[in-house]
Amino acid sequence: MLRRIFLCLVVAAGVGFAIFWWLTAPPTASAVTAPAYTPNLANGLTTFNAAGCSSCHAVPGQPDRLRLGGGLAIPSPFGTFYAPNISPDPADGIGRWSEAEFVNAVTKGVSPAGYHYFPAFPYPSYQHAKVDDIRDLFAYLKTLAPVSGKVRDHDVPFPFNIRRNVGIWKWLFVEPRPFVPDATRSGQWNRGAYLVNSLGHCAECHSPRNFLGGIITAKRFAGGPNPEGEGWVPNITQKGLGEWSVRDIAYFLETGQMPDGDSAGGAMARVIRNISQLSADDRAAIAEYLKSLPPVDGPPRPRKAAKAGGEP
């Protein structure tokens, strides 16, 4: 009898491990097929600015936002992540990557070596971007100066440091689907929706998360605790921006100046440095989309954060 129970437990453990291994396997890399494609470097620059690449990947403590040697510390409830070198350096950056490897990294969160990237890299949003935009971004990055220097390893404790577990996280929280325009909306609104929900990855910071680090869908864009541990990320639905006009939002995205005379600080100041480089039309599109978001109540805000905070 005990032998049968033992055998059943062994079989159950084997089946459970097989299911775990299947669920956590990185997605199969898909080659980019379009040999006649000619990269659009101007669009690559637009994609670079919209995606906020320099906000995380520029070397900290120096003024050149195109020096993409990485190293920025990104605190989170799961440990501290360090943005990698994405300069064209062949040893320490992405200089030896193929276009397909880059596209798979950005849209699937899979490294050229075949392991999962941690979702501190906002591929859950980038996956909705157009492949041609990502290809143009890759071509643009290759025009920048290589920066030597390896970035230190992430400081993430067990069990969060097991990359295989990220496969379960992706299965729970990542929806691999392209952006689909809303035919009932204007072209400008759809452009704003695309930028906000894919390249701009606004929801990654402006949404509260559950205990596993997944965005709480019902409170998307409703703000919440700053994952870096200090302050409060504001609500950017009409619950938080109801008194802002489309023009106010567009002006803020260009200058960082709020209608009340205050200005953006912290991580948002870095974001503004990128978005301000977009065309006025793109900033207006983002503003129009944000103004259309229905009001959503965010999580309860601590009194201290409420006093110290402000809108974006």
Side-chain angles (χ1 to χ4, degrees), residues 67 186 252 256 291 305 312:
R67 186 174 172 80
S186 68
F252 173 74
K291 188 62 182 176

Side-chain angles (χ1 to χ4, degrees), residues 61-248:
Q62 53 83 43
D64 188 353
R65 61 191 290 271
L66 302 182
R67 186 174 172 80
L68 303 179
L72 179 72
I74 305 172
S76 82
F78 305 98
T80 301
F81 301 92
Y82 293 88
N85 185 330
I86 62 167
S87 79
D89 186 86
D92 301 324
I94 62 172
R96 294 179 181 171
W97 287 29
S98 69
E99 183 186 75
E101 288 172 337
F102 183 78
V103 171
N104 285 317
V106 173
T107 61
K108 295 185 177 181
V110 178
S111 78
Y115 59 77
H116 294 293
Y117 283 123
F118 292 112
F121 178 24
Y123 54 80
S125 290
Y126 290 161
Q127 65 171 327
H128 304 306
K130 300 171 185 176
V131 171
D132 283 353
D133 282 347
I134 306 304
R135 299 175 78 182
D136 290 342
L137 171 61
F138 182 61
Y140 173 74
L141 291 177
K142 289 195 295 183
T143 69
L144 302 180
V147 180
S148 62
K150 280 285 187 185
V151 173
R152 59 163 293 176
D153 291 337
H154 301 309
D155 185 11
V156 180
F158 180 86
F160 307 117
N161 62 339
I162 301 176
R163 289 181 183 269
R164 192 88 189 185
N165 290 337
V166 177
I168 296 290
W169 191 92
K170 289 180 176 179
W171 182 73
L172 291 172
F173 302 115
V174 176
E175 300 179 10
R177 51 185 172 77
F179 171 77
V180 178
D182 184 342
T184 68
R185 297 281 193 167
S186 68
Q188 178 168 276
W189 184 95
N190 276 295
R191 174 65 174 170
Y194 172 71
L195 291 172
V196 166
N197 290 294
S198 60
L199 298 174
H201 62 279
C202 304
E204 301 292 336
C205 288
H206 286 278
S207 303
R209 295 178 179 267
N210 58 32
F211 73 101
L212 291 176
I215 287 176
I216 300 173
T217 303
K219 293 187 179 296
R220 187 174 173 87
F221 298 119
N226 186 339
E228 296 186 1
E230 296 183 4
W232 194 264
V233 179
N235 188 324
I236 57 171
T237 72
Q238 285 306 286
K239 185 71 176 183
L241 299 180
E243 296 182 359
W244 292 42
S245 67
V246 171
R247 181 175 294 181
D248 289 336

